[in-house]
Amino acid sequence: MKKFLHNFIHLQPKWVMIILALILLGAFFFLMTVNNVYTETYNIERFSDAKETIRSPITIENKQETKRKTRETVQAVEDRYNISTEITKERLSYIGEIFDAIAKVEKDTSVNGIENSDSLVSSQEKVQQLKQILSPEITDKLDDGLFYKLLDIKASKRQEGKKLLLSSLENVLKDGVRTENIQRAESDVTQSIKYSSLDKRLKEPLKKLSKFAIVENSFFDVEKTMEARKEAASNVEPVVIRAGEIIVREGQTITDGIYEELKLIGLLNQERNVFPVIGLVLLILLIITVIGSEINHLYRENQMDNRKIAAVLMISFIVIVLMKVVSLFTTTENLLFFAVPVATGGLLIKQLIQERFAIVLSILYAILGSVIFNGELPGTLNIEAGIYFFFSQMAGIIFLVNVKDRLAVIKAGAGMAVINVITVLLFLFLSFEKYSYADLIIQSAYGVSAALLSAVLTIGLLPFFETGLGILSDIKLLSLASPNQPLLRKILTEAPGTYHHSVMVANLSETACEAIGANGLLARVGAYYHDIGKTIRPHYFIENQVSIKNPHDLIEPLQSAEIIISHPYDGAEMLKEHKMPEEIIDIAKQHHGTTLLQYFYQMEKKVNEEVKEELFRYPGPKPQTKEAAVISICDSVEAAVRSLKEPTKEKIDEIVGSIVNSRLMDGQLNECDLTLSELDTVHQTICETLKGIFHSRIKYPTKEAT
């Protein structure tokens, strides 16, 4: 631990600031989102009355209830039976056999169609003949009296009874007869015979035949029954408690079932709440890791400092607080997240820092928004809110282009309004639920309001960050570039030559900086003010010496050097008094670095060989940024080229190369991150620009000269 603290204390200030900022951001994000994942637990007893309405914070399956439902469903499945068609055919064939045999016996015992005179003997003979031709299964089960009764019935009546009996038996046997329902089957056939229009003498033997014919023909099938039960069990839908579902209402008695549900979803278990919090901490760690990586990337490109880190913190606080406040009033019926001016963050970050960083933060804000608007249901994210926030912020960043004044933000707001409405309509049309025109209008109005509020808040907050934190935005730079600025008017009126020189340096610097990816607008504005210190003694600088004698001719070289060397620092003081941005002050202070005043140094050396070179060098500092380095080069180049009587292309290229090499060899570019490749690009760009400016002044040789 001691070693860790020791290492932390001796970290570079950059890393200290980054780590502190990330800790603050992480803590803030956690405080704003913890109640969206952490659920309240209750100390509840069975059969007591609920003091408030309790909803489920999660979606979870009630396995115990699912098992009970499955068990009931399986028990409700009827047993499966196999109906033997062979038995059915056999029993029906027995009945048919009986009636066919009787018909045959009657036919055989008839002589020329007239029966024997002794009917009693004839009936006995017929029964004996029947018993001889009928199957043993029939004769063993039926008595002779039944045959006597059937033989006593006329053939036509008997045929009617046969049809009715076979039809009834077929219907009963086809449905299956089991041991437990044989009596019911017999009763069904008996009832059909009883209420038929048959001869009364025929009904009784038919009933006896039905009892003989009806036997068990349906047998329990284990395999089919088990298969049916399995299929029924697989079709049972799991009993799920949905997130947001009301478990118990206020005043309702907490039954044993309700108590078990509360226990299942973890509202009675304090320990379960730890896991969602751990998940939230992991999410926030990922978010601040991405932010830290981007901040470090910007530091390496010299586009980040402590002021901008403070701006990131404040903008993040504003955006997340806006989300949190609106979420407190958002319901499932009133989707107020459409009205959150979340794009304010992206617009401010793009103007104050960088577009890429604005995109990254916009994505992260959208993720946090999906957590904040989850209805305080742990384990869920409001994807709809997250997508809306993402597109709203991206629209603002994309539409904010060509920032020349604050109206550019209003134009971006109009573009955001269109995208917001499109996104709202997207969700409405994708929804399976019916929507009304009122919903469409209200939610679209929310989207338009969010866009306009984002633009208004951006315009209102931007001056605070520019002035309060001293962050330089493009809009601020454009306002500083206005000729109506007091200091620029001061240069124009008191040192017109310096003003013209500054404008020329600004043109060269802006073009060169844009060629290497540096901030061209900052270079232009910095060049406008870099020589403001010359207004204190304007006539001591050659560009302002019009029709007057050079005052340096009247003083010692060392005094002249002191006057010339003081102008960057005099200018820096003037800029501080007028509360100009630090970047502009630094350019004014650094544009000469620690270069040597060769002219006055050589003059002094003629009379004093032991003169110290340090007396004729600017005290610095050397240029710290690309913009300051480019301005320092362009400052010398413009003055040198202006002194040429005939600035030809060759002379321009030669003098620019000489100044660049001189700066490089003198170590003036050692403290900025200008690479040799970029330096070569600066060289080429300055030459091309100067050739365009002085093209009309180049004097070409005439025929007479040749």
Side-chain angles (χ1 to χ4, degrees):
M1 187 66 181
K2 290 182 179 179
K3 184 177 180 182
F4 172 80
L5 290 173
H6 180 270
N7 291 336
F8 181 83
I9 292 171
H10 289 84
L11 283 174
Q12 295 181 10
K14 176 187 77 171
W15 287 107
V16 173
M17 190 63 186
I18 292 177
I19 292 172
L20 289 175
L22 294 179
I23 291 173
L24 284 173
L25 274 180
F28 175 73
F29 292 158
F30 180 81
L31 291 174
M32 290 293 103
T33 56
V34 65
N35 68 318
N36 294 95
V37 300
Y38 185 84
T39 56
E40 181 183 356
T41 56
Y42 302 89
N43 185 14
I44 295 177
E45 296 181 357
R46 284 182 172 88
F47 311 116
S48 61
D49 293 336
K51 297 181 180 179
E52 60 180 289
T53 298
I54 302 175
R55 296 177 181 269
S56 173
I58 59 174
T59 297
I60 190 172
E61 179 187 354
N62 190 337
K63 293 184 178 180
Q64 184 176 353
E65 188 65 20
T66 301
K67 287 180 181 179
R68 185 194 63 78
K69 185 178 177 182
T70 302
R71 184 174 61 253
E72 291 179 352
T73 303
V74 170
Q75 290 174 349
V77 174
E78 295 183 355
D79 293 339
R80 297 295 188 263
Y81 290 84
N82 278 332
I83 299 174
S84 175
T85 57
E86 293 181 358
I87 294 177
T88 301
K89 290 178 181 179
E90 181 184 73
R91 305 315 289 184
L92 292 175
S93 68
Y94 284 158
I95 300 300
E97 182 182 346
I98 292 171
F99 282 98
D100 291 343
I102 291 173
K104 179 175 176 56
V105 168
E106 286 187 338
K107 182 179 180 182
D108 292 343
T109 57
S110 298
V111 180
N112 296 326
I114 301 174
E115 294 183 354
N116 294 332
S117 58
D118 191 350
S119 59
L120 180 60
V121 175
S122 176
S123 295
Q124 290 177 343
E125 290 176 351
K126 289 178 182 179
V127 170
Q128 292 300 320
Q129 291 179 12
L130 277 173
K131 294 176 72 174
Q132 290 176 0
I133 63 176
L134 286 173
S135 301
E137 289 81 2
I138 299 174
T139 57
D140 291 345
K141 298 289 180 66
L142 298 175
D143 57 21
D144 295 348
L146 175 64
F147 296 136
Y148 282 116
K149 290 179 181 179
L150 288 173
L151 288 169
D152 194 39
I153 304 297
K154 289 183 179 181
S156 59
K157 298 289 186 181
R158 197 167 53 239
Q159 190 64 28
E160 290 179 5
K162 175 186 176 182
K163 289 182 179 179
L164 176 62
L165 179 59
L166 287 174
S167 175
S168 300
L169 289 173
E170 186 176 1
N171 289 335
V172 170
L173 293 172
K174 181 180 65 176
D175 293 337
V177 178
R178 301 193 295 274
T179 302
E180 63 269 19
N181 69 349
I182 286 180
Q183 291 183 353
R184 190 185 68 184
E186 290 176 353
S187 176
D188 290 344
V189 176
T190 299
Q191 291 297 319
S192 65
I193 294 171
K194 179 180 178 180
Y195 294 106
S196 69
S197 60
L198 295 174
D199 191 327
K200 292 182 179 180
R201 293 179 302 161
L202 181 60
K203 290 181 179 181
E204 187 61 29
L206 288 179
K207 290 178 181 179
K208 291 183 178 181
L209 285 176
S210 67
K211 291 182 179 180
F212 160 73
I214 296 175
V215 296
E216 183 181 4
N217 72 335
S218 181
F219 305 97
F220 179 69
D221 191 322
V222 177
E223 292 183 0
K224 285 186 177 180
T225 302
M226 294 303 295
E227 184 178 346
R229 288 175 179 175
K230 287 180 181 179
E231 183 179 356
S234 64
N235 290 332
V236 173
E237 292 290 335
V239 178
V240 178
I241 302 174
R242 304 288 179 184
E245 179 181 333
I246 294 177
I247 305 300
V248 61
R249 297 185 182 277
E250 183 179 358
Q252 184 179 352
T253 301
I254 298 174
T255 62
D256 191 66
I258 293 174
Y259 185 87
E260 291 300 322
E261 287 188 353
L262 292 172
K263 184 178 180 181
L264 176 66
I265 60 181
L267 294 182
L268 304 180
N269 184 1
Q270 183 70 27
E271 294 179 359
R272 283 191 64 175
N273 280 333
V274 174
F275 298 106
V277 174
I278 293 174
L280 177 64
V281 170
L282 293 176
L283 173 63
I284 291 175
L285 283 175
L286 290 174
I287 289 175
I288 63 173
T289 298
V290 173
I291 295 176
S293 175
E294 287 299 311
I295 290 176
N296 183 50
H297 173 75
L298 291 173
Y299 258 116
R300 290 200 303 267
E301 294 186 350
N302 289 324
Q303 296 186 40
M304 181 61 70
D305 53 35
N306 293 348
R307 294 170 300 168
K308 292 182 178 179
I309 289 180
V312 172
L313 289 174
M314 297 180 69
I315 291 170
S316 298
F317 293 164
I318 291 170
V319 172
I320 302 303
V321 167
L322 284 173
M323 289 185 184
K324 192 64 180 180
V325 170
V326 175
S327 72
L328 299 177
F329 303 95
T330 301
T331 63
T332 53
E333 294 79 21
N334 191 13
L335 304 179
L336 281 176
F337 64 80
F338 287 129
V340 178
V342 67
T344 303
L347 293 171
L348 287 172
I349 293 293
K350 179 175 180 179
Q351 292 183 84
L352 296 173
I353 303 176
Q354 188 200 51
E355 181 173 341
R356 167 178 157 161
F357 193 46
I359 293 173
V360 171
L361 283 183
S362 295
I363 296 172
L364 300 179
Y365 292 156
I367 293 173
L368 288 170
S370 67
V371 176
I372 291 173
F373 285 94
N374 71 347
E376 298 185 0
L377 298 177
T380 61
L381 297 175
N382 191 334
I383 301 301
E384 189 172 304
I387 293 173
Y388 175 77
F389 291 151
F390 171 74
F391 281 118
S392 181
Q393 293 177 100
M394 291 303 297
I397 294 170
I398 292 171
F399 285 116
L400 185 63
V401 293
N402 299 324
V403 182
K404 294 182 179 179
D405 53 34
R406 300 187 191 274
L407 288 178
V409 179
I410 299 297
K411 295 175 183 177
M416 284 189 293
V418 174
I419 298 302
N420 287 358
V421 171
I422 291 174
T423 309
V424 169
L425 296 178
L426 162 72
F427 294 135
L428 287 175
F429 294 147
L430 283 178
S431 174
F432 281 106
E433 299 178 4
K434 291 183 179 180
Y435 56 87
S436 63
Y437 286 108
D439 293 333
L440 190 150
I441 294 172
I442 291 172
Q443 294 181 23
S444 297
Y446 285 162
V448 174
S449 300
L452 296 179
L453 279 173
S454 296
V456 171
L457 284 174
T458 301
I459 293 173
L461 292 173
L462 193 59
F464 167 77
F465 289 102
E466 291 173 341
T467 305
L469 297 178
I471 298 176
L472 196 56
S473 67
D474 286 351
I475 292 178
K476 179 67 174 178
L477 286 171
L478 287 168
S479 67
L480 293 177
S482 170
N484 294 323
Q485 284 290 332
L487 289 180
L488 289 184
R489 288 203 307 269
K490 180 179 180 67
I491 299 174
L492 179 60
T493 56
E494 298 179 12
T498 298
Y499 179 82
H500 180 265
H501 160 74
S502 297
V503 171
M504 294 293 291
V505 173
N507 292 332
L508 293 173
S509 301
E510 182 179 35
T511 306
C513 282
E514 290 179 349
I516 60 173
N519 191 336
L521 183 57
L522 173 59
R524 168 173 286 278
V525 178
Y528 284 158
Y529 293 92
H530 80 287
D531 274 343
I532 185 67
K534 291 182 178 180
T535 58
I536 294 178
R537 303 181 186 88
H539 301 301
Y540 282 86
F541 299 90
I542 192 170
E543 66 267 21
N544 299 313
Q545 296 172 2
V546 180
S547 302
I548 64 170
K549 189 174 182 180
N550 190 343
H552 290 288
D553 295 339
L554 306 176
I555 60 178
E556 296 295 325
L558 187 58
Q559 290 179 298
S560 297
E562 290 176 354
I563 294 172
I564 300 298
I565 288 174
S566 66
H567 84 271
Y569 313 104
D570 292 338
E573 289 299 321
M574 292 176 65
L575 293 172
K576 285 181 182 178
E577 290 175 4
H578 285 76
K579 298 182 180 179
M580 298 293 282
E582 287 292 331
E583 290 85 349
I584 305 300
I585 297 172
D586 290 341
I587 287 174
K589 192 185 296 183
Q590 298 168 13
H591 76 275
H592 279 295
T594 59
T595 54
L596 177 66
L597 286 175
Q598 285 284 356
Y599 179 78
F600 294 110
Y601 173 67
Q602 295 299 333
M603 286 184 63
E604 180 66 21
K605 199 171 184 180
K606 291 178 181 178
V607 297
N608 183 9
E609 288 289 338
E610 297 180 358
V611 64
K612 293 182 179 180
E613 188 178 285
E614 291 78 8
L615 297 175
F616 291 86
R617 278 190 178 274
Y618 290 90
K622 296 177 181 179
Q624 304 294 306
T625 63
K626 291 181 181 181
E627 292 81 7
V630 170
I631 290 174
S632 72
I633 293 172
C634 293
D635 181 43
S636 298
V637 166
E638 195 282 331
V641 172
R642 180 162 34 87
S643 66
L644 295 175
K645 293 182 179 179
E646 295 182 3
T648 62
K649 294 181 180 180
E650 292 76 13
K651 289 182 179 180
I652 289 174
D653 189 68
E654 180 183 354
I655 201 168
V656 173
S658 173
I659 292 172
V660 170
N661 290 332
S662 174
R663 287 286 192 277
L664 191 61
M665 297 304 294
D666 196 28
Q668 298 301 313
L669 308 178
N670 290 351
E671 297 180 12
C672 68
D673 56 352
L674 199 62
T675 65
L676 291 175
S677 176
E678 290 173 337
L679 195 59
D680 183 62
T681 302
V682 169
H683 179 179
Q684 299 298 327
T685 304
I686 292 174
C687 288
E688 292 298 322
T689 305
L690 286 172
K691 289 171 186 177
I693 294 173
F694 292 102
H695 177 73
S696 60
R697 295 175 57 187
I698 296 176
K699 182 178 180 181
Y700 293 96
T702 60
K703 291 183 180 180
E704 290 78 4
T706 58

